[in-house]
Amino acid sequence: EMARGAGEPSTKRAKVDEAKEEEDPLVRRKEEVVRLLEKAKKGKGKARAKKELLTLCADFEAKNEKLLGRLLPELWQKILDENLHQNDLLAFAMTCRLFRDTTTDL
């Protein structure tokens, strides 16, 4: 019975994390853009969907940079040293602008 009770906090935490993600306006906007892309045919609808998608990507990148940019270079160094093999560094740097800048700074 103790084992069953031990899993409950992580389940509750996962539900809270999901609820926070659903409340995030960027996540809701992403879902709207995906629906818009699915409905879009050629012409104006597709161009509008593409513009919305580019704007959304820029907003996500800004949010990630705001959150991840707060980490000290020493902490980034430790994260990379402990979790990435040297051969994976290029792939990590290609993931986004922040990671590219982070790896060039180190």
Side-chain angles (χ1 to χ4, degrees):
E1 195 160 321
M2 285 290 262
R4 190 181 76 190
E8 289 179 11
S10 63
T11 304
K12 288 179 184 177
R13 191 175 322 122
K15 288 180 182 178
V16 169
D17 290 342
E18 287 175 15
K20 284 181 181 178
E21 186 174 297
E22 289 174 9
E23 292 174 8
D24 187 348
L26 284 176
V27 172
R28 283 196 309 268
R29 195 163 141 224
K30 178 189 77 169
E31 292 167 357
E32 292 170 6
V33 169
V34 168
R35 284 193 294 273
L36 181 66
L37 282 168
E38 289 171 353
K39 291 180 182 178
K41 302 259 185 200
K42 295 180 180 177
K44 284 186 178 181
K46 190 154 186 139
R48 180 175 173 250
K50 183 178 178 181
K51 183 179 177 182
E52 286 289 324
L53 184 60
L54 290 173
T55 303
L56 180 64
C57 289
D59 291 346
F60 267 115
E61 190 172 288
K63 179 182 178 185
N64 287 342
E65 191 165 338
K66 181 179 177 185
L67 293 173
L68 296 173
R70 295 180 189 165
L71 296 178
L72 297 173
E74 295 82 19
L75 188 54
W76 274 114
Q77 184 69 50
K78 184 175 180 178
I79 291 169
L80 295 177
D81 288 347
E82 292 179 5
N83 298 295
L84 274 179
H85 188 273
Q86 186 66 27
N87 295 338
D88 298 328
L89 200 56
L90 179 61
F92 177 77
M94 292 173 58
T95 306
C96 72
R97 184 181 305 141
L98 176 68
F99 293 163
R100 183 185 67 225
D101 294 345
T102 299
T103 54
T104 56
D105 291 345
L106 302 176

